Amino acid sequence: MPLEPLSQKEIEDRLAELPGWSLEGDRIARSYRLPSHFAATAMVVHIAQVQEELDHHSDLTLGYNTVSLTVNTHTVSAVTKRDFALARRIEDLAPGHGAQ
């Protein structure tokens, strides 16, 4: 069964449950600030592990002490439930890396 794009209302409702995340075009996005480059790099590796587990991958950018992500479901070029499942997992792991 193919994934269906979420409506604007569904996206807004789900974003309300994920502080810091926003809609940017056809993607949801979030940036985190971390205490050091090493902490940011460790978070990227942790996110990569989760993405492999879920078989769903974001665009991920590592800065000196920042990690930025944009997420959408490439097969439908839109935001789906799958994107929010990944965002939730990332939100859950972020505090363990000191991310804000």
Side-chain angles (χ1 to χ4, degrees):
M1 173 181 240
L3 289 169
E4 294 294 322
L6 296 174
S7 71
Q8 186 69 29
K9 173 81 167 100
E10 289 172 312
I11 292 169
E12 290 170 5
D13 290 347
R14 289 171 185 258
L15 283 172
E17 299 171 7
L18 291 170
W21 287 82
S22 62
L23 183 63
E24 293 183 5
D26 66 348
R27 300 166 178 269
I28 56 172
R30 172 84 153 90
S31 291
Y32 296 92
R33 182 167 300 282
L34 291 100
S36 67
H37 181 67
F38 186 81
T41 302
M43 184 169 165
V44 166
V45 171
H46 198 169
I47 291 169
Q49 290 173 326
V50 169
Q51 291 178 146
E52 285 296 306
E53 177 186 323
L54 297 177
D55 191 27
H56 190 54
H57 302 83
S58 67
D59 291 327
L60 186 57
T61 303
L62 171 64
Y64 168 70
N65 66 338
T66 59
V67 174
S68 299
L69 303 102
T70 59
V71 185
N72 80 343
T73 301
H74 302 289
T75 56
V76 295
S77 298
V79 177
T80 67
K81 292 177 183 178
R82 197 169 188 202
D83 302 314
F84 281 98
L86 176 57
R88 171 51 48 208
R89 290 284 301 273
I90 293 166
E91 277 299 297
D92 291 346
L93 70 83
H97 293 278
Q100 299 180 355

